[in-house]
Amino acid sequence: MTIQIQGELNAADKSFAIVVSRFNDLITRRLVDGACDIITRLGGQEDLITIVWVPGSFEIPLAAARLARSGKYSAVICLGAVIQGSTSHHEYINSQVASGIMQLNLETGVPVTFGIITCESMEQALDRAGGKVGNKGVEAATAAVEMVNLLKKI
Ligand code: INI
């Protein structure tokens, strides 16, 4: 018989840090709302959620690193919105932020989830911030809850 292990979607008594970019805050505020809403719906407490605002997505990994290493949080949830412009600027931000966040997961052992929308237009971003394609903040927070519980078992 196979052994199958997965993390429960139970956020009770867990503390979460949310790092969120102020750049494109029309979008990122919706991601924060989605993340906080799902954490409390999964049994988490609002007073165990800390929200840290940074200027732009590029600054997310440094703040997330400080939070992950502090030992105060069960998981760190990273939220941002990088919308493609007329130059390749966004590509540098996306690749650096994604690899910075992955590196933090492996170095700290603390789940650091990726809720950064990377898309071509404001319309696509709105679709992913509570519109017709869901909410990346909800996804990233749900993944954080699941990983915290999974890591306790393996
Ligand atoms: N930051 C974002 O979060 N999203 C963007 O779309 C974006 N664009 O397009 O420029 C952006 N730029 C700012 C960047 O994250 C840094 O804050 C800035 O370069 C200072 O380090």
Side-chain angles (χ1 to χ4, degrees), residues 1-5:
M1 206 162 80
T2 60
I3 298 168
Q4 299 197 38
I5 307 175

Side-chain angles (χ1 to χ4, degrees), residues 21-24 28 54-60 79-85 87 89-90 93-94 97 116-117 119:
S21 151
R22 215 179 295 110
F23 204 103
N24 289 322
T28 61
V54 294
S57 293
F58 192 76
E59 284 72 39
I60 288 175
L79 304 178
V82 182
I83 302 176
Q84 200 170 313
T87 67
H89 188 67
H90 63 280
I93 298 176
N94 289 341
V97 174
I116 298 169
I117 295 173
C119 61

Side-chain angles (χ1 to χ4, degrees), residues 16-77:
F16 296 94
I18 297 176
V19 188
V20 55
S21 151
R22 215 179 295 110
F23 204 103
N24 289 322
D25 74 336
L26 173 73
I27 302 297
T28 61
R29 285 179 191 283
R30 297 174 192 211
L31 302 180
V32 174
D33 290 347
C36 292
D37 181 58
I38 193 70
I39 289 170
T40 51
R41 284 202 284 131
L42 294 174
Q45 295 101 297
E46 254 178 48
D47 59 354
L48 292 181
I49 303 174
T50 301
I51 301 172
V52 176
W53 289 89
V54 294
S57 293
F58 192 76
E59 284 72 39
I60 288 175
L62 176 58
R66 190 67 68 90
L67 293 161
R69 291 185 183 123
S70 72
K72 292 185 192 164
Y73 304 101
S74 312
V76 180
I77 298 156

